[in-house]
């Protein structure tokens, strides 16, 4: 090697003579050379994180595709239990929250601090509405016994939609959060701090939005039941139960051969041993009342609801995670921290939020709109 | 010194590809802040709403097997709008686009092989179980072990 | 500009500053200064201690297994305990030791220094990754102490759904989930650091090959680990909620579990071996005092291994009832991975050719790596071939094969790397003679342990069995003797390292004559890595590096 490149790493004391900031501003981490490097690093990091999210969800999409392909009729039947209207409303809400989030990024870049707080608050509110509607959907399904996998016990007897108070249970945490936000809002008005008012206002609004979502969901759910009618639903249910019935033998056989094939050496022994021990978990009291062949029918449908709960549940967890980071952004925005050199956090949380929207864009037609 | 780092190159590209819609405002030499114009945000949002309406509407028709592909196509168009505009990928560094599109290749790989295999061994699972002696035996053998549990 | 022209403020080039009094180890004091540190070097050292402790734990389980297998029946463990011991041995070694070993411990310490930056791109994420690792460890210890896990490290369904050790399965899967995030964050950090923080002059093809290896590893970590995350999450849901996706009793498909699991776990094999290959590239070049042969091919082959690694996961499932077509496709694809691996081995041999080989401790470990990895790689071929795998599947042949790759490969390279960079990390030289002895004992012990297992496996001894036929006893006993030899060799290596902390000579800046950037900063490095800007040159140009008798290390000639 003849030519050793004597390029020197610019160090911060000497190398930045031609740069604009002679010292690091507070928003620039010490190990970055300049604002753009910091921004690029954060953004690439966030895109990589989104890659992991995409692959994370792909597992569930894989399970979905596999079982839908094997049992299209089960998926079609089960999908009829999902309320399209609620799904569509939630899609709209999420799309709107994506709009406000994208707008928030713009506001951060243009130093529109008030608008930024407003847009972030709107995003947070939409997220809360989404969760409110989702709670209505979940609790409604639980009351119908439409639970995942081995707990799937559809209530095909008369007491359609028996009240178990699931919705109230789901509302407990949001209610506590609302009370805390309200207390914080009162506190912020009492001490007349603009900063605290700017933070507590959006938080309280968003917390209340959850209940808006709950009422919206309940209203639409009631409307749906009024139009469809119970009898109609039942008829549908019963007919498809029969529809699945002729498959059940195949499936039972399949599952048995399966177990036979794939159990590694110790597995079959243990499987037999544990089927006695843990059977009380599998056999619900309601299931006892129904004849034996029903078990297989219900497991087929239960599989759909397993996938439904896994996908929407993990998605909802992501929404909640997003709400926490958006709240953090609201605090920073109320402190007027963002400007055209430092808006990375808003941009990156935005990317995350759009990805959550992105996932829902696929979940909605795949789960709700099977015909 | 012909040494230009990729970092600097990227910085240059970024300057050049900065999109034309205004609002650069402050600090032109730190050209990484590109506010989206409001009209663009709003039109993307309304396009998304229209597509949502479309996908709900098309689900009222019975399209048979085409239905899933139809709704997936619409969803993909929506997802593309979100990624390109809301997520700003259209103006982002090529690397970030490669990263996210590359991940889709791996998703395809994962789903492709797994589903291909599942489809392949499916016939081994769902063969004529009624007439196959092995299966009939197993079902018979399996039922008694499960039944006492149910009766317990 | 030459080295001599440097401002005098640049310490280390004058003799007095060769052994810095102020460095990252004494930059700040107290436990909190370590626990809350954002310094990649300290995080790397904490990881080093962590992974070595996990290795000790996993190794203890390994010895328990080998001692149990001394007799063909009535070993000192009950069958149940035996199941738990081999499961924990596997799970701890894979998830707590091998995967984080080189990237998180050595990688964290070295990546920013080799690159010439102050830190990784996200120091807080880096610290969080370490604490996630600790959390994962806690969950594994819980699985170990509460009930004991007996599913094998692969958690295959339906057994993992049915086993009585439900609490342990939940604890372990949660541990794996958390460890997955730890691994993802490390990988994400490395990719971003290498992409956006390379200083001027550090172009892609001036990066040391260790960084190429870490970059490829990080790609796998980011792409594959999330699938493991969702797999174990679904498995936990299976246990808690009975979702049935993998449960044949609920019409689920357990083969799918294996697809999900191996989509991560096969690429994970390359997470384990790629950084080891990176270390060997460094060691070969430095200790042969000769530029690496085929730099670009080694760099590209790292990326190729990372990508091909995603195409071959099905070869773990040939006997699982997968479709014939898929099995054939996966078998064929499996052979593609051997090409870039072989490219590397030939390039290392090419590097040694006509080099001035220093037979010191790191180099001996590197040579051991090449020998053992080659055996491991070649015995992989009959396992990738569909017809022979039908015979070898789930036998000791497989066990021996992956120990040759994982232990003979990764662990030996890790040890070589630890010895190689020990002076840089701690500022102390170890006793090279004893180090050489340890390398020889490890090499002999290793082969004594695992060569008989190839024979056992090809004769039909199945893996994971607590008892076996009497005819296998001599080979099993040979293997057990080997494992004890191996254990003592590893213990000696540890003693050599620890002794250096007590009475080791102070390390010069560049004890081996390396040309990469880490040898330009003091040993141990200062808090900000470089007190003055290092020269970014060809990382494998040794033409102007010469021995300096005064410091006992190497210096760059003007």
């Amino acid at each position: 090697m003849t030519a050793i490149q004597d390029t020197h790493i610019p160090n911060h004391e000497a190398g930045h003579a031609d740069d604009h900031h002679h010292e690091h501003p507070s928003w620039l981490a010490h190990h970055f050379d300049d604002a753009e490097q910091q921004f690029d690093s954060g953004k690439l990091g966030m895109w990589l994180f989104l890659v992991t999210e995409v692959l994370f969800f792909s597992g569930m999409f894989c399970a979905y595709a596999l079982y839908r392909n094997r049992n299209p009729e089960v998926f079609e039947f089960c999908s009829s239990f999902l309320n399209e209207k609620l799904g569509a409303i939630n899609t709209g809400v999420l799309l709107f929250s994506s709009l406000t989030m994208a707008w928030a990024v713009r506001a951060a870049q243009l130093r529109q601090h008030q608008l930024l707080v407003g847009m972030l608050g709107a995003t947070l509110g939409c997220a809360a509405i989404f969760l409110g509607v989702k709670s209505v959907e979940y609790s409604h399904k639980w009351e119908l016994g439409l639970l995942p996998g081995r707990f799937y016990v559809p209530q095909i007897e008369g007491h359609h939609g028996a009240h178990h108070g699931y919705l109230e249970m789901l509302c407990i945490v949001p209610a506590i959060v609302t009370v805390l936000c309200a207390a914080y809002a009162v506190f912020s008005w009492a001490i007349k701090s603009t900063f605290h008012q700017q933070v507590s206002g959006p938080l309280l609004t968003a917390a209340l939005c959850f209940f808006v979502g709950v009422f919206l969901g309940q209203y639409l759910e009631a409307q749906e039941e009024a139009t469809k009618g119970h009898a109609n639903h039942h008829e549908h249910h019963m007919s498809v139960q029969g529809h699945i019935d002729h498959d059940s033998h195949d499936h039972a056989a399949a599952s048995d051969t399966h177990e036979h094939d794939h159990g590694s050496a110790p597995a079959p022994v243990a499987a037999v041993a544990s089927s006695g021990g843990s059977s009380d978990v599998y056999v619900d009291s309601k299931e006892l009342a129904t004849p034996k062949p029903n078990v297989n029918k219900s497991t087929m449908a239960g599989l759909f609801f397993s996938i439904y709960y896994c996908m929407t549940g993990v998605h909802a967890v992501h929404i909640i995670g997003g709400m926490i980071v958006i709240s953090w952004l609201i605090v920073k925005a109320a402190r007027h921290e963002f400007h055209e050199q430092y808006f990375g956090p808003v941009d990156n949380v935005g990317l995350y939020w759009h990805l959550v929207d992105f996932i829902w864009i696929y979940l909605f037609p795949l789960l709700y709109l099977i015909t | 010194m012909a040494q230009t780092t990729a970092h600097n190159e990227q910085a240059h590209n970024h300057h050049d590809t900065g999109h034309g819609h205004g609002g650069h405002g402050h600090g032109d030499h730190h050209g990484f802040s590109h506010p989206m114009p409001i009209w663009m945000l709003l039109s993307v949002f309304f396009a998304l709403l229209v597509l949502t309406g479309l996908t709900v509407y098309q689900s009222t028709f019975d399209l048979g097997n085409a239905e899933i592909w139809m709704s997936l196509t619409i969803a993909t168009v929506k997802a593309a709008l979100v990624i390109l505009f809301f997520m700003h990928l259209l103006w982002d560094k090529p690397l970030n686009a490669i990263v996210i599109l590359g991940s889709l290749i791996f998703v395809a790989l994962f789903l492709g092989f797994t589903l291909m295999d599942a489809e392949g061994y499916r016939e081994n699972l769902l063969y004529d179980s009624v007439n196959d002696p092995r299966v009939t035996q197993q079902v018979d053998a399996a039922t008694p072990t499960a039944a006492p549990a149910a009766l317990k | 500009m030459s080295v001599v022209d440097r401002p005098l403020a640049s310490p280390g080039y004058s003799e007095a500053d060769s052994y810095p009094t102020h460095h990252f180890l004494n930059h700040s004091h107290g436990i909190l200064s370590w626990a809350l540190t954002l310094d990649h070097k300290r995080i790397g050292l904490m990881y080093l201690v962590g992974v070595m402790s996990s290795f000790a734990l996993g190794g203890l389980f390994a010895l328990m297994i080998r001692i149990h297998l001394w007799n063909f029946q009535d070993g000192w463990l009950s069958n149940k305990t035996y199941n738990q011991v081999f499961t924990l041995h596997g799970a701890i070694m894979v998830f707590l030791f091998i995967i984080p070993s080189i990237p998180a411990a050595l990688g964290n310490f070295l990546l920013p220094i080799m690159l010439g930056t102050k830190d990784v791109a996200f120091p807080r994420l880096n610290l969080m990754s370490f604490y996630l690792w600790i959390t994962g460890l806690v969950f594994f210890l819980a699985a170990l102490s509460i009930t004991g896990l007996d599913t094998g490290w692969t958690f295959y369904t339906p057994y993992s759904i049915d086993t009585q050790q439900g609490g342990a399965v939940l604890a372990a899967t949660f541990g794996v989930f958390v460890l997955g995030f730890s691994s993802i964050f490390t990988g994400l950090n490395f990719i971003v650091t290498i992409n956006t923080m390379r200083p001027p002059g550090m172009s892609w093809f001036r990066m040391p090959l260790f960084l190429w290896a870490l970059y490829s590893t990080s790609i796998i970590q980011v792409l594959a680990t999330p699938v493991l995350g969702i797999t174990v999450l679904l498995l936990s849901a299976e246990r808690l909620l009975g979702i049935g996706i993998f449960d044949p009793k609920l019409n689920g498909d357990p083969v799918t579990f294996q697809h999900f699991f191996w989509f991560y776990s096969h690429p994970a094999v390359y997470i384990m071996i790629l950084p080891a290959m990176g270390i060997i590239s460094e060691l070969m070049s430095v200790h042969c005092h000769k530029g690496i042969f085929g730099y670009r091919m080694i760099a590209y082959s790292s990326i190729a291994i990372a990508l091909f690694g995603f195409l071959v996961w099905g070869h773990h499932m040939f006997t699982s009832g997968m479709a014939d077509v898929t099995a054939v496709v996966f078998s064929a694809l499996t052979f593609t991975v051997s090409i870039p691996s072989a490219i590397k081995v030939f390039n290392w041999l090419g590097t040694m050719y006509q080099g001035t080989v220093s037979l010191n401790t790191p180099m001996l470990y590197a040579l051991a790596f090449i020998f053992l990895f080659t055996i491991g790689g070649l015995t992989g071929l009959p396992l990738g071939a569909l017809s022979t795998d039908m015979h070898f599947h789930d036998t000791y042949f497989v066990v021996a094969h992956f120990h040759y790759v994982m232990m003979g490969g990764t662990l030996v390279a890790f040890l070589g790397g630890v010895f190689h960079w020990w002076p840089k990390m701690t500022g102390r030289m170890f006793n090279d003679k004893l180090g050489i002895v340890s390398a020889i004992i490890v090499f002999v012990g290793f082969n004594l342990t695992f060569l008989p297992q190839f024979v056992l496996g090809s004769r039909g001894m199945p893996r994971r069995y607590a008892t076996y036929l009497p005819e296998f006893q001599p080979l099993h006993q040979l293997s057990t003797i080997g494992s004890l030899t191996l254990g003592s060799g590893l213990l000696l290596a540890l003693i050599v390292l620890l002794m250096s902390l007590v009475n080791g000579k102070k390390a010069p800046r560049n004890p081996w004559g390396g040309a990469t950037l880490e040898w330009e900063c003091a040993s141990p490095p200062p808090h900000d890595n470089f007190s003055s800007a290092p020269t970014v040159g060809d990382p494998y140009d040794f033409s102007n590096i010469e021995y300096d008798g005064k410091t006992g290390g190497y210096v760059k000639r003007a």
Side-chain angles (χ1 to χ4, degrees):
Chain A
M1 247 318 134
T2 48
I4 298 290
Q5 300 288 332
D6 285 346
T7 330
H8 282 251
I9 299 167
N11 67 353
H12 291 289
E13 286 69 42
H16 270 205
D18 56 344
D19 216 320
H20 281 276
H21 16 280
H22 295 271
E23 61 198 24
H24 268 56
S26 61
W27 43 266
L28 184 59
H30 84 284
H31 57 289
F32 290 116
D33 293 335
D34 56 38
E36 184 161 356
Q37 191 186 32
Q38 171 166 285
F39 174 76
D40 288 341
S41 302
K43 194 147 186 172
L44 177 61
M46 183 43 83
W47 277 110
L48 286 169
F49 181 69
L50 297 189
V51 165
T52 69
E53 290 285 4
V54 167
L55 278 142
F56 187 78
F57 275 96
S58 74
M60 285 181 290
F61 281 101
C62 185
Y64 174 91
L66 180 79
Y67 292 110
R68 177 166 178 179
N69 195 25
R70 283 195 187 160
N71 318 289
E73 71 290 338
V74 174
F75 272 58
E76 199 184 321
F77 158 62
C78 293
S79 170
S80 70
F81 283 99
L82 306 187
N83 190 331
E84 256 174 51
K85 258 187 217 154
L86 291 184
I89 291 279
N90 257 352
T91 311
V93 168
L94 268 197
L95 289 177
F96 185 73
S97 78
S98 261
L99 170 71
T100 54
M101 194 70 226
W103 205 322
V105 176
R106 180 192 149 87
Q109 290 167 330
L110 297 178
R111 293 187 188 240
Q112 297 163 332
H113 302 300
Q114 292 291 350
L115 186 66
L116 172 59
V117 172
M119 283 298 167
L120 290 172
T123 313
L124 199 62
C126 286
I129 294 179
F130 180 91
L131 288 181
V133 173
K134 203 88 220 131
S135 311
V136 173
E137 285 190 77
Y138 272 8
S139 56
H140 189 68
K141 277 174 198 61
W142 296 346
E143 278 162 8
L144 293 176
L146 303 174
L147 290 162
R150 68 170 184 237
F151 296 110
Y152 175 80
V153 199
Q155 309 274 314
I156 47 176
E157 306 306 320
H159 53 288
H160 191 292
H163 195 77
H164 290 290
Y166 292 128
L167 185 57
E168 285 80 352
M169 271 151 58
L170 284 175
C171 286
I172 292 174
V173 174
I176 294 172
V177 172
T178 312
V179 171
L180 290 176
C181 288
Y184 180 35
V186 170
F187 168 75
S188 70
W189 284 101
I191 63 166
K192 295 197 176 65
S193 150
T194 333
F195 165 71
H196 285 295
Q197 284 165 8
Q198 277 201 346
V199 176
S200 65
L203 290 185
L204 179 60
T205 319
L208 290 171
C209 277
F210 177 83
F211 297 99
V212 173
V214 169
F215 288 121
L216 184 69
Q218 276 185 318
Y219 172 71
L220 288 171
E221 194 73 72
Q223 209 184 29
E224 177 88 358
E225 279 184 23
T227 50
K228 268 196 180 175
H230 290 203
N232 189 7
H233 223 113
H234 280 214
E235 206 177 315
H236 192 169
H237 194 151
M238 295 304 280
S239 73
V240 178
Q241 287 277 18
H243 184 62
I244 302 166
D245 196 25
H246 78 270
D247 279 343
S248 67
H249 184 67
D250 287 348
H251 288 302
S255 71
D256 277 317
T257 37
H258 238 129
E259 203 170 321
H260 184 73
D261 277 348
H262 308 299
S264 53
V269 184
V272 171
S274 70
S275 71
S278 60
S279 59
D280 48 331
V281 187
Y282 294 98
V283 184
D284 202 76
S285 59
K286 285 165 196 125
E287 216 169 280
L288 273 176
T290 53
K292 184 68 186 144
N294 272 348
V295 176
N296 281 314
K297 281 188 273 181
S298 62
T299 55
M300 287 317 298
L303 212 48
F304 172 85
F305 284 101
S306 297
I307 292 170
Y308 166 79
Y309 284 116
C310 284
M311 286 180 132
T312 56
V314 172
H315 181 261
V317 168
H318 279 82
I319 297 256
I320 294 169
M323 290 174 80
I324 293 170
V325 280
I326 290 172
S327 309
W328 167 70
L329 283 186
I330 289 178
V331 175
K332 280 173 87 84
R335 280 200 209 123
H336 296 203
E337 280 187 22
F338 298 114
H339 48 82
E340 71 288 337
Q341 300 259 327
Y342 179 66
F343 59 94
V346 187
D347 205 16
N348 291 333
V349 171
L351 287 180
Y352 169 82
W353 192 254
H354 297 310
L355 184 94
V356 174
D357 187 24
F358 173 102
I359 302 278
W360 184 259
I361 284 175
Y362 281 98
L363 288 186
F364 171 57
L366 287 179
L367 292 171
Y368 289 77
L369 301 178
I370 310 173
T371 48
Chain B
M1 206 160 298
Q3 206 66 48
T4 322
T5 64
H7 176 66
N8 286 347
E9 269 167 20
Q10 283 170 356
H12 270 284
N13 285 341
H14 201 61
H15 273 287
D16 297 340
T17 53
H19 43 101
H21 54 77
H24 276 254
H26 324 268
D28 239 343
H29 64 285
H30 286 287
F32 62 93
S33 156
H34 301 293
M36 295 253 306
I38 293 170
W39 65 264
M40 194 181 276
L41 291 174
L42 287 175
S43 35
V44 171
F45 172 65
F46 284 113
L48 288 169
L49 276 193
V50 169
L51 286 167
T52 307
L54 187 66
T55 195
V56 173
Y57 179 66
Q58 66 94 24
S59 76
T60 55
F61 300 107
D62 188 8
L63 297 174
N65 279 340
E67 182 249 331
I68 173 93
W69 298 113
M70 189 70 192
S71 53
L72 278 182
T73 310
I74 296 177
T76 305
V77 173
K78 284 166 74 180
L81 283 176
V82 169
I83 284 208
L84 291 178
F85 293 95
F86 281 171
M87 294 169 96
H88 225 244
L89 195 65
L90 214 48
W91 299 277
D92 215 332
K93 294 213 162 96
L95 178 68
N96 293 344
I98 293 168
V99 163
I100 195 76
L101 293 178
S103 78
L104 298 180
I105 295 174
F106 286 88
V107 170
L109 193 72
F110 174 41
L111 264 70
F113 267 125
T114 306
L115 296 175
M116 177 179 119
D117 186 45
E119 206 42 35
Y121 64 74
R122 183 183 178 182
E123 57 196 74
N124 299 341
L125 305 178
L126 304 179
Y127 53 87
D128 186 7
S129 50
V130 181
N131 295 321
D132 189 294
R134 284 178 302 169
V135 174
T136 328
Q137 274 167 17
Q138 272 167 22
V139 172
D140 291 343
T143 320
T145 51
L151 295 172
K152 196 169 61 181
Chain C
M1 198 191 286
S2 69
V3 191
V4 184
D5 295 341
R6 279 171 189 289
L8 278 174
S10 148
Y13 284 88
S14 65
E15 215 179 317
D17 285 330
S18 252
Y19 311 114
T21 49
H22 192 78
H23 45 75
F24 81 100
L25 290 167
N26 59 14
H27 178 71
S28 50
H29 299 278
I31 289 183
L32 274 186
S33 79
W34 281 83
L36 301 176
T37 184
L38 298 179
D39 181 0
H40 66 96
K41 297 181 288 297
R42 287 189 168 197
I43 295 173
L45 278 193
M46 293 197 292
Y47 257 123
L48 188 68
V49 173
V51 296
M52 280 182 157
S53 318
S54 323
F55 176 73
L57 186 64
L60 216 59
F61 284 128
L63 289 179
M64 283 166 74
I65 295 171
R66 285 313 326 165
I67 292 169
H68 172 88
L69 292 171
W70 181 261
N71 287 322
F72 68 92
Q73 60 184 19
D74 303 324
W76 68 298
L77 301 170
S78 74
N79 291 355
K80 236 181 158 175
T81 320
Y82 180 83
N83 284 351
Q84 297 177 3
V85 169
F86 80 68
T87 299
L88 284 163
H89 164 68
I92 287 175
M93 284 299 195
V94 169
F95 294 115
L96 285 167
F97 171 64
I98 308 185
I99 287 179
S101 62
I102 299 174
L106 294 177
N108 248 328
F109 192 97
L110 291 165
L111 183 133
I113 307 183
M114 283 181 144
L115 206 59
T117 64
K118 288 183 166 183
D119 210 322
V120 290
F122 310 115
R124 280 199 201 91
L125 197 67
N126 203 11
L127 184 66
M128 187 174 149
S129 155
F130 177 69
Y131 280 110
L132 286 174
W133 184 86
I134 295 278
T135 315
L137 174 71
V138 168
F139 276 96
F140 264 98
L141 292 179
L144 165 71
S145 56
I146 296 170
T147 49
L149 184 69
D150 64 348
T151 60
W153 75 277
T154 50
F155 303 112
Y156 272 10
T157 56
Y159 183 67
S160 55
I161 302 172
D162 294 330
T163 174
Q164 316 254 302
Q165 318 290 359
V169 173
L170 278 178
T173 49
F174 191 77
V176 171
F177 187 78
V178 171
L179 289 171
F181 273 98
S182 162
S183 173
I184 286 174
F185 289 152
T186 303
L188 193 153
N189 226 333
F190 286 180
I191 293 184
V192 175
T193 309
I194 290 178
N195 264 306
T196 63
M197 298 191 59
R198 275 172 297 119
M202 180 59 82
S203 63
W204 281 96
F205 291 104
R206 290 202 155 187
M207 289 199 318
L209 287 165
F210 183 51
L211 297 190
W212 275 96
L214 285 178
Y215 192 77
S216 320
T217 311
S218 305
I219 293 175
I220 310 175
Q221 284 177 312
V222 166
L223 282 171
T225 319
V227 177
L228 177 73
I230 189 65
T231 310
V232 293
L233 196 69
L234 289 176
L235 181 59
S236 318
E238 200 76 69
R239 287 228 57 128
L240 286 172
L241 305 170
I243 55 171
I245 290 178
F246 301 131
D247 187 352
K249 281 198 297 302
L250 298 170
N251 285 314
D253 187 338
V255 180
T256 314
F257 177 85
Q258 298 187 18
H259 275 298
F260 276 50
F261 183 82
W262 289 111
F263 182 82
Y264 164 76
S265 293
H266 191 76
V269 170
Y270 301 104
I271 296 179
M272 304 173 200
I273 196 68
L274 269 172
M277 292 166 156
I279 288 184
I280 297 305
S281 303
E282 298 299 324
L283 263 54
M284 277 295 148
S285 170
V286 172
H287 296 287
C288 295
H289 305 280
K290 178 167 169 279
I292 190 86
F293 182 83
Y295 172 91
R296 286 205 178 212
M297 286 314 281
I298 296 183
Y300 288 138
S301 66
S302 292
I303 302 285
I305 289 178
L307 299 181
F308 288 165
F310 278 94
L311 300 172
V312 302
W313 80 84
H315 66 222
H316 294 269
M317 302 166 54
F318 287 155
T319 61
S320 295
M322 77 191 313
D324 296 346
V325 186
T326 342
V328 172
V329 170
F330 273 127
S331 178
L333 286 173
T334 298
F335 288 92
T336 59
V337 187
S338 58
I339 298 168
S341 310
I343 287 176
K344 281 178 187 287
V345 173
F346 292 132
N347 277 313
W348 293 325
L349 296 180
T351 306
M352 282 166 66
Y353 181 66
Q354 289 196 336
T356 319
V357 183
S358 308
L359 279 179
N360 49 26
T361 313
M363 186 61 184
L364 278 182
Y365 276 107
L367 290 174
F369 171 93
I370 294 187
F371 184 85
L372 300 175
F373 175 75
T374 306
I375 293 183
L378 289 176
T379 51
L381 297 178
L383 291 172
L386 196 46
S387 50
T388 38
D389 181 67
M390 290 294 165
H391 175 64
F392 288 134
H393 186 85
D394 263 355
T395 66
Y396 266 66
F397 193 88
V398 180
V399 176
H401 158 70
F402 69 71
H403 278 92
Y404 263 88
V405 181
M406 298 289 90
M407 192 175 183
T410 309
L411 174 78
V412 166
F414 174 70
L415 285 175
V418 169
F419 276 107
H420 183 71
W421 283 295
W422 187 260
K424 185 54 67 184
M425 293 193 283
T426 62
R428 298 287 179 160
M429 294 303 288
F430 52 85
N431 184 332
D432 197 44
K433 287 210 178 76
L434 276 180
I436 289 172
V437 174
S438 84
I440 292 169
I441 298 179
V442 165
F443 181 77
V444 172
F446 182 88
N447 284 302
L448 202 57
T449 311
F450 293 106
L451 266 180
Q453 296 190 2
F454 280 122
V455 184
L456 280 172
S458 55
R459 290 189 187 167
M461 168 78 212
R463 67 192 280 203
R464 293 181 170 176
Y465 273 35
T467 55
Y468 53 89
L469 296 175
E471 69 202 61
F472 293 133
Q473 193 161 8
L475 285 170
H476 265 299
Q477 289 184 341
L478 203 59
S479 181
T480 303
I481 293 169
S483 70
L484 293 171
T485 317
L486 177 57
S488 48
L490 292 170
L491 194 64
L492 179 61
L494 181 69
I495 291 170
V496 170
L497 290 175
L498 292 181
M499 262 170 52
S500 78
L501 294 180
V502 182
N503 58 9
K505 236 177 18 161
K506 285 201 166 176
R509 179 176 288 249
N510 189 355
W512 314 118
T516 40
L517 285 185
E518 80 269 27
W519 304 113
E520 296 208 11
C521 70
S523 306
H527 179 66
D528 276 341
N529 294 348
F530 297 99
S531 35
S532 76
T535 311
V536 178
D538 183 333
Y540 299 105
D541 176 23
F542 298 93
S543 57
N544 58 349
I545 288 179
E546 60 183 32
Y547 189 71
D548 172 28
K550 275 184 292 184
T551 56
Y554 289 75
V555 289
K556 248 185 196 175
R557 191 158 26 99

